[in-house]
Amino acid sequence: MPSRLKIFFDGGCRPNPGAIEIAVVAGGRTTILRDLGNGTSSDAEWLALIQALTIARSLDAADFVLIGDTADVVAKANGTVKCRGVDIRHLERFRALASAAGRPRVRHIKRSQNLAGIALARLRRR
C-alpha cells in the first residue's frame, strides 16, 4: 500500500504587511515563490496552501495531506472555524480548486516540524 504524500506549506511576508513569499515541499522537492505581491502573513499562508493543493493536483496524487503551521488557516480550510473578511476570497479559491476531488486533508503541525517553513527561513538568511 503506497504511503500518503505529505505536502508541507508555509508563507510569509516582510514586513507584515509586505512582500509575500511562499514555500511548498512535496516528495522531497522544494518550490519557493517570491514577489507574489503585497499582503499580510495570513494572505501568504493562504497562497501557500493553494499552491500546495495545486502541486498535489499536478502530481496526480490520489492520497495526500497538506501540512502547515498556521492553526487559523488550517482550521478555516477544514471548516472548523468560520472565515470572515479577506480570508473568504482565499477560502473560495481553495474550495474551487479542491472541488474536483472533494475536500483535501489539511493538518496543523508545529513550526519546527514544517519543512516548508524551514526552507523559507533558510531563504531569508541569504
Side-chain angles (χ1 to χ4, degrees), residues 60-94:
D60 291 326
D63 189 17
F64 63 92
V65 59
L66 306 172
I67 304 170
D69 59 32
T70 303
D72 182 59
V73 169
V74 169
K76 288 174 180 173
N78 283 324
T80 57
V81 171
K82 186 169 182 163
C83 236
R84 301 183 191 281
V86 142
D87 285 350
I88 291 172
R89 68 182 160 93
H90 294 304
L91 178 62
E92 288 172 351
R93 191 168 158 208
F94 175 73

Side-chain angles (χ1 to χ4, degrees), residues 1-14:
M1 178 175 166
S3 63
R4 178 176 296 149
L5 177 63
K6 294 178 181 178
I7 303 176
F8 298 85
F9 67 91
D10 196 24
C13 58
R14 291 184 279 175

